[in-house]
Amino acid sequence: QVQLVESGGGLVQAGGSLRLSCAASGRTSSIYAMGWFRQAPGKEREFVAAIRSSAGTTRYADSVKGRFTISRDNAKNTVHLQMNSLKSEDTAVYYCAADRTPLRYRTIAVSINEYEDWGQGTQVSVSS
């Protein structure tokens, strides 16, 4: 099991930036990939970005590609999501998740069902 705690959410105007952080604890050595998901009110939780713990390869949703950057600090068991050029449609609760049981190695999953551990989420609100 892995425990995840998100931080860094808040209020920002459109065009601004926020940096989210996710601190992992527990059996962190078993983490294959770390991902960020978001869920807006009345909508399904959707994939945002993910990074492989070892190789550092990344994957992004088309809606955030070019604006968001995911990074990791394995020594601190922490993953960050730098969000630039924020839009009102980015408003959501952002969740950090850990994939400990990859179905396919050398790839990064985007389905919420493929991630086992989840944080409680951090609110990101972008005003127009």
Side-chain angles (χ1 to χ4, degrees):
Q1 296 181 342
V2 175
Q3 294 77 49
L4 305 172
V5 179
E6 304 97 332
S7 62
L11 302 173
V12 65
Q13 294 184 349
S17 300
L18 283 175
R19 183 177 176 84
L20 305 183
S21 297
C22 175
S25 61
R27 302 188 66 181
T28 57
S29 61
S30 66
I31 299 175
Y32 170 77
M34 295 287 293
W36 285 97
F37 295 77
R38 66 186 182 186
Q39 187 169 21
K43 296 184 178 180
E44 296 292 322
R45 191 170 300 185
E46 65 176 3
F47 173 80
V48 176
I51 185 169
R52 285 182 59 189
S53 298
S54 59
T57 52
T58 60
R59 188 171 183 177
Y60 297 91
D62 290 340
S63 59
V64 306
K65 197 170 186 178
R67 299 188 298 120
F68 292 8
T69 302
I70 188 170
S71 61
R72 77 197 196 289
D73 185 342
N74 287 344
K76 297 181 178 180
N77 294 316
T78 302
V79 175
H80 304 282
L81 183 67
Q82 179 66 46
M83 305 184 293
N84 298 326
S85 301
L86 284 164
K87 306 174 182 179
S88 60
E89 49 263 45
D90 294 319
T91 296
V93 176
Y94 283 70
Y95 297 90
C96 178
D99 182 2
R100 295 184 283 103
T101 56
L103 295 177
R104 300 177 182 176
Y105 290 92
R106 297 177 179 269
T107 64
I108 300 177
V110 300
S111 173
I112 61 173
N113 295 323
E114 296 177 14
Y115 289 77
E116 290 77 42
D117 303 304
W118 294 81
Q120 293 298 309
T122 184
Q123 178 70 50
V124 172
S125 298
V126 184
S127 60
S128 301

